Amino acid sequence: MMSAPHVSVLLAEVVHALAIAPGETIIDGTFGAGGYARAFLAAGAHVVAFDRDPSAARFAADLPADRFRLVCARFSEMDEVLGEGAVDGVALDLGVSSMQLDEADRGFSFLRDGPLDMRMGDAGETAADLVNTAEPEDLARILWVYGEEKKSRRIAGAIARRRQEQPFTRTGELADFIEGVLGGRRGAKVHPATRSFQALRIAVNDELGELEAGLAAAERVLKPGGRLAVVTFHSLEDRIVKAFLTERAGRTPAASRHLPPSVDSRDPSFELLFNGARSPGEAEVEANPRARSAKLRAAVRTHAPVWSQAA
């Protein structure tokens, strides 16, 4: 068994939320190093895992071929691969994995100098492409919306001026440049480039669009009584998951302009398993500081297929 460099967050809570019975089929929508998948297999499940990163396959070599399948695709495609009403549970562990952060050549982290890439897969534009070609207004919007960076316009303008003379190619140089634009750390615990790097990563991988599409796909692929568990790591993700489950649970007033006409709040497609979100305990955070911001939301699919093709 290959040693996995990623520690799954809220693992026990996710397994409990899914209430796995032996023989059930569970989707691990974000396979990574396989932490969730292994726990689901240990509970007796058949597991279909999704990961857009081809390198994740190295962590699946020792898993049982008769109960495990890895699909190299986005989790938003799960219903297309498996069909509607096909599975008993879906788990999504969002964001970037520890192993991707720790591998400098992936370009996710400013703490390890590497190519300015940030792609979770092996296709599409890189962070360097975005930084070096996006209009300053578009770049500022990305930093503001996805990174909640208050000084997004200043950073975007400075990047646009600098790239005319020398394009950005490395994570280290971009991090140092942003630090210089913002005036240095001044004793701050968080690196000045943190929000900008988060924003670029989300934009490069269309993470929020993928999440919205993935939640809808999970709704379609779940059987009545099937369960959905989603672990988020920042407020943008959590807001999307919270809004989706709140609406699907029929807790949005019927007159709301955000509620599609086909939805009947008296016949919801999900029932929340618990109110609010669950967070890691002190022991887990102490053992794995990256778990600090994690939140778990979970729901069970009702018998009512309100999101039909006619919707």
Side-chain angles (χ1 to χ4, degrees):
M1 171 178 170
M2 178 175 287
S3 176
H6 176 76
V7 179
S8 298
V9 176
L10 289 165
L11 179 60
E13 290 83 352
V14 168
V15 172
H16 178 74
L18 292 178
I20 299 170
E24 289 187 334
T25 299
I26 307 296
I27 290 177
D28 178 358
T30 46
F31 178 69
Y36 283 168
R38 292 177 189 280
F40 302 159
L41 289 166
H46 293 262
V47 177
V48 181
F50 288 76
D51 203 304
R52 68 169 94 176
D53 185 352
S55 71
R58 59 189 153 146
F59 298 109
D62 64 324
L63 297 181
D66 59 331
R67 291 196 295 124
F68 177 81
R69 173 187 175 194
L70 177 60
V71 181
C72 186
R74 297 169 180 258
F75 60 73
S76 61
E77 300 171 312
M78 66 178 85
D79 61 320
E80 298 175 19
V81 173
L82 298 175
E84 295 190 11
V87 306
D88 302 284
V90 174
L92 302 176
D93 175 16
L94 304 176
V96 63
S97 71
S98 298
M99 63 183 181
Q100 289 172 327
L101 286 171
D102 292 339
E103 294 175 354
D105 60 353
R106 302 302 299 274
F108 284 102
S109 176
F110 47 78
L111 299 178
R112 295 170 177 80
D113 183 53
L116 191 55
D117 193 319
M118 297 193 190
R119 294 174 298 174
M120 291 182 179
D122 57 2
E125 71 172 3
T126 66
D129 295 330
L130 182 59
V131 167
N132 291 318
T133 64
E135 294 294 328
E137 297 81 5
D138 293 335
L139 187 56
R141 179 186 57 79
I142 287 170
L143 299 181
W144 168 251
V145 174
Y146 296 154
E148 299 178 298
E149 172 55 68
K150 295 179 180 179
K151 298 180 180 178
S152 59
R153 290 185 180 277
R154 180 193 299 182
I155 296 171
I159 286 175
R161 290 189 293 273
R162 147 67 199 269
R163 72 190 186 191
Q164 292 179 353
E165 301 177 0
Q166 182 181 354
F168 292 90
T169 60
R170 309 286 296 181
T171 57
E173 73 173 318
L174 179 60
D176 290 344
F177 181 79
I178 293 174
E179 182 176 346
V181 170
L182 298 181
R185 299 189 193 185
R186 300 176 184 173
K189 295 181 180 180
V190 179
H191 193 286
T194 300
R195 293 181 181 276
S196 295
F197 268 62
Q198 172 186 295
L200 292 172
R201 189 201 80 219
I202 290 173
V204 165
N205 296 289
D206 187 26
E207 290 179 33
L208 302 187
E210 173 70 5
L211 174 55
E212 292 176 341
L215 291 171
E219 184 177 42
R220 290 189 293 268
V221 80
L222 280 168
K223 299 176 181 177
R227 296 187 172 205
L228 171 65
V230 186
V231 176
T232 63
F233 287 87
H234 58 73
S235 60
L236 297 174
E237 294 171 339
D238 187 57
R239 279 182 225 144
I240 290 173
V241 177
K242 178 181 178 180
F244 176 87
L245 291 179
T246 298
E247 181 178 89
R248 296 313 208 249
R251 299 193 179 189
T252 303
S256 172
R257 63 186 176 86
H258 299 293
L259 195 63
S262 61
V263 177
D264 185 342
S265 63
R266 297 165 299 180
D267 204 13
S269 59
F270 276 107
E271 179 182 344
L272 302 183
L273 287 174
F274 46 81
N275 291 323
R278 300 280 171 85
S279 299
E282 293 183 5
E284 181 171 6
V285 172
E286 184 176 352
N288 179 19
R290 286 175 174 168
R292 187 178 306 278
S293 62
K295 291 183 179 180
L296 167 65
R297 296 185 186 272
V300 58
R301 185 75 163 88
T302 67
H303 69 281
V306 299
W307 299 92
S308 66
Q309 294 295 327

